[in-house]
Each structure stands twice: as C-alpha cells, then as structure tokens.
Amino acid sequence: MVSGTIVDTVSNSSETIGHIGRIPVRNLWLLMLYASDFYRQLDSSGRRSIEENPDNLPDLVAEILLRQVERRLKRNLSYGYQYRHEILGRVRGRIDLLYTERHQLLHKGMVACRFDELTVDTPRNRYVRSALEMLAKIVRKELAHRCRSLAGSLRRLGVVGERPGRGETSVERFGRHDSIDREMVATARLAFEMTIPTEVAGLRSLPLPARDPKWIYKLYEKGVAGFYDVVLTQLGWRVHSGKQIRWCPASISARMNELLPVMQTDIVLDNYKANRRIVIDTKFYAVINSREYGNEKINSPNLYQMYAYLRSQEDSNDPLDTHAEGILLHPSVGEMIDEWLVIHGHKIRFTTVDLSAETNTIRSQLLKAIQE
C-alpha cells in the first residue's frame, strides 16, 4: 500500500483497478452497487449483468441513464416551479419594494419582482444533465458522444442551470407519475458517487482507507443491507436498516427513560411466515482476537452487544422477538469462520464474507449467512 494518500480514478481496466489492502477494488464497486438506489431500480436480469461485470460499471450506468433520458424526452421533460427574483418592465408576482426603492428602479421604468416560474430547468433535470456531462468524460468513445449529445439536447430545451447541490436533490419528492424521473435521478446519483479509490493516478486525493476506515465500514454496512433488501424482499422478508430498538423494562423510575441509551441495529430481517427475525451487526474487523499465550477469543464487546439486542426485546409484543437470531457478519480475506451458539433460546452466529472472492461467491456467502 502507498502511504499518506491514495487517489481515485474511474476505469474499466481490470489491470488498473488494484486493491485496497487485499480487497479487490472491483468488489468495492460491487458494495457501492448494492448500497445504491440504482440497484433497487433494476430488474433481476439487469442486476445480474452488472454483478458479473462490476469493472464496466461506468459504461453500464451510462447506457441505462441514456435509455432513461431518451424515454423521458419522448414524453417531454417534467416541469416544476422555480423561484425567481428579476428586474422587469412590468409587474409579475410580488413587488420587492425594498430592492426597487433602494435601486430607484421606478425612475428607470423597471420594478423588482419575486415570482414562481413553471420551467423545465428544475433541480432533477439539471442533476441528470450534469451526470451525462460527467459520464462523457469517463466512458468509452461512442457512449461519450451520446452523453454529450443528449446533454446538449437538454440544454437546448432549457435545462441550463448549474448542477444542484446535495441538499436540493435530497428533498426531491416524486409522485405516482414520476417513476421515470425517480429512476433517472437514482442512476445519476450512482454516476456521481461511484468513483472508487485505487493506487493509480487519478483526479482527486482521498485519505488512506487504512487510516480512516469509516467510509469502508459504512459502505460495507449499506452494501449488505442493500443486497438483502433487493434479494430477500421478493421472498417474503422485510428488511430494516438502521432500526432503533428500545429496552422493555418490567418497571422503571421516572427519569430512567431519558437516561437509557437507544440501541440501533445495522440490519434487521423479518419473515413472519417463517417465524424468523435476524438481527445482523456488520463489523469491519477480525472476528477473533489473538490473546496472550496463543489463545484466540471472540471479540467480547460484540457478543455482549448482540446479547443485549436479543434479550432486551423478549418482553415486547412482537412474537418474533422471543426466538430472534443474531449474526455478526465480518469481512474476511482468505480465512473463513462460521461458528455459532444458542443461549437462552437465541442463536448467535459469527460468520464471514470473503471480499477477495468472485462476485458469485460473495453473493452465495451472504445468502448462506442467513440460512437456518
């Protein structure tokens, strides 16, 4: 590994993608794919094709975004109201009296107005156009030409504003008739978020993951949650990510409710038909710690935490809590572990996913982890 910083680049060459530690970057692409809304929008055949070829993700994202934008243009772009503050020769909307008087606009036959204008230059359309312009710089030649051409078409139709900030796109609301827009925005978001750190020269510097592992840990957690959400939902499971659970005391003092910490799980899988609840805690470090004199032990805080999750819910009104299962899901490179115990009616399992393996192997290991 290089020291200090590494740099990120988008490439479809397997020779330049490299590794972070011993984890192939192509598998971090895969985790980002699982974590994205874009993955949830694809049909099963589309998901499988991208899983099998994660190194070509920029080209695949570009192809899908181009298809979605072309479909949207056939039905016309969606309109929205945008706030405007302009100096006009006639009154429109509300007059900005303070601005008009301060700049003595009435003497010039002008007036400052505030109004909402119906336009195609909305944050979502600008966001999609910006994604096309960005993808044109990193995809193969023929796709780049199509991306630039389509982005130019959007500009000619009036989508001329700057790329909206994250805050503007995060508050977008989609109605029943906006399904195509929802898919376009999800694809565009993946296009902006899919740059991956590698050890080859690129456009931007990022912190060395070994020194700042939080982003990889969150990626791992979201990737696992996204995979289970897509794969298990169609099989009758309900997938909850970042679910808060509270203590269920038999009695409690007046202030204790305020003082008790709130527990938050990484992933909870529910299947009422199979009478199963699985609480999954994703950990991005070794399952087993080496102790003195060659002894090896499970990380005790992890076991205590999972035990607290499961036992604290036994007196809840949900029947699935009585025999809920716990899984501590760790990444592993080479050494695989799958151990379990049953304590007070709760099965707790310690298992690993080999992030250095092929895509199909990772998929199989994630599914095997939740098998009874």
Side-chain angles (χ1 to χ4, degrees):
M1 276 301 277
V2 295
S3 60
T5 61
I6 60 175
V7 291
D8 74 329
T9 184
V10 179
S11 170
N12 60 3
S13 169
S14 59
E15 294 178 359
T16 60
I17 284 183
H19 293 66
I20 290 181
R22 287 185 291 165
I23 301 173
V25 173
R26 72 189 305 277
N27 289 344
L28 292 185
W29 283 92
L30 185 68
L31 288 177
M32 291 195 77
L33 176 65
Y34 287 158
S36 69
D37 292 332
F38 166 78
Y39 182 69
R40 292 162 175 77
Q41 300 290 344
L42 293 174
D43 57 27
S44 58
S45 60
R47 289 195 294 265
R48 291 296 293 176
S49 66
I50 294 183
E51 285 177 355
E52 292 166 2
N53 300 281
D55 298 343
N56 298 323
L57 186 57
D59 287 354
L60 290 165
V61 171
E63 288 176 351
I64 292 172
L65 183 58
L66 285 166
R67 185 167 66 248
Q68 290 170 342
V69 175
E70 287 165 353
R71 286 172 55 202
R72 176 77 269 186
L73 288 176
K74 288 179 179 178
R75 297 174 52 185
N76 296 323
L77 292 174
S78 57
Y79 283 75
Y81 285 99
Q82 296 296 302
Y83 173 79
R84 294 283 188 267
H85 184 277
E86 294 183 10
I87 299 172
L88 303 173
R90 59 182 179 85
V91 176
R92 183 177 181 183
R94 295 182 177 182
I95 299 175
D96 186 341
L97 294 174
L98 181 61
Y99 190 95
T100 300
E101 183 63 27
R102 181 187 299 166
H103 294 83
Q104 298 184 356
L105 296 178
L106 291 177
H107 296 290
K108 305 172 186 177
M110 308 295 286
V111 63
C113 300
R114 296 191 182 102
F115 57 92
D116 290 325
E117 181 180 45
L118 189 63
T119 176
V120 295
D121 195 24
T122 60
R124 69 176 67 166
N125 290 336
R126 285 186 273 126
Y127 191 67
V128 170
R129 190 212 68 222
S130 300
L132 288 170
E133 293 170 342
M134 187 275 295
L135 285 168
K137 302 174 183 178
I138 61 174
V139 296
R140 66 180 187 267
K141 187 175 180 179
E142 58 270 25
L143 282 178
H145 175 73
R146 290 179 60 196
C147 287
R148 285 190 291 267
S149 176
L150 207 52
S153 297
L154 293 177
R155 284 189 176 276
R156 288 190 293 274
L157 289 170
V159 186
V160 295
E162 297 295 322
R163 171 187 166 185
R166 193 177 188 88
E168 287 184 83
T169 56
S170 64
V171 298
E172 279 285 327
R173 296 292 181 266
F174 299 91
R176 289 186 304 169
H177 306 295
D178 295 340
S179 59
I180 297 179
D181 283 359
R182 185 195 301 272
E183 294 170 5
M184 284 196 312
V185 171
T187 309
R189 183 170 291 114
L190 179 64
F192 283 118
E193 295 177 352
M194 69 184 175
T195 49
I196 292 291
T198 71
E199 296 175 356
V200 297
L203 302 176
R204 290 185 296 145
S205 295
L206 295 176
L208 186 69
R211 296 185 181 179
D212 185 16
K214 290 183 180 179
W215 73 274
I216 301 183
Y217 165 68
K218 294 304 294 182
L219 174 62
Y220 176 61
E221 175 188 332
K222 289 183 178 180
V224 172
F227 171 80
Y228 283 136
D229 185 29
V230 170
V231 175
L232 297 184
T233 300
Q234 58 189 343
L235 301 178
W237 291 81
R238 295 176 61 187
V239 180
H240 310 274
S241 180
K243 183 179 181 180
Q244 289 187 346
I245 57 177
R246 298 187 177 275
W247 304 86
C248 301
S251 58
I252 193 169
S253 64
R255 282 197 63 207
M256 197 58 191
N257 265 329
E258 303 173 11
L259 301 176
L260 271 177
V262 176
M263 296 180 288
Q264 182 166 317
T265 58
D266 291 344
I267 307 164
V268 178
L269 310 179
D270 289 340
N271 190 325
Y272 283 89
K273 187 175 181 179
N275 196 31
R276 293 185 71 195
R277 168 165 291 158
I278 306 174
V279 179
I280 299 178
D281 214 17
T282 52
K283 302 294 184 183
F284 206 80
Y285 47 80
V287 181
I288 296 175
N289 280 337
S290 296
R291 303 292 179 87
E292 291 182 296
Y293 310 113
N295 292 331
E296 293 183 333
K297 300 292 182 182
I298 291 287
N299 276 298
S300 53
N302 296 346
L303 179 58
Y304 302 154
Q305 183 183 41
M306 183 59 71
Y307 183 76
Y309 284 165
L310 301 176
R311 292 302 308 273
S312 66
Q313 303 303 296
E314 288 180 347
D315 292 331
S316 73
N317 295 324
D318 195 328
L320 295 187
D321 281 325
T322 306
H323 299 290
E325 308 162 41
I327 296 177
L328 288 111
L329 189 62
H330 296 247
S332 174
V333 181
E335 181 185 5
M336 298 300 295
I337 292 173
D338 189 3
E339 305 293 340
W340 56 272
L341 75 160
V342 177
I343 182 168
H344 295 108
H346 299 283
K347 183 176 182 179
I348 302 177
R349 187 174 184 176
F350 298 82
T351 189
T352 53
V353 177
D354 187 357
L355 293 182
S356 69
E358 293 297 318
T359 302
N360 287 336
T361 302
I362 295 175
R363 180 187 178 91
S364 298
Q365 289 172 356
L366 287 173
L367 292 175
K368 182 181 177 182
I370 64 168
Q371 291 178 353
E372 288 187 281

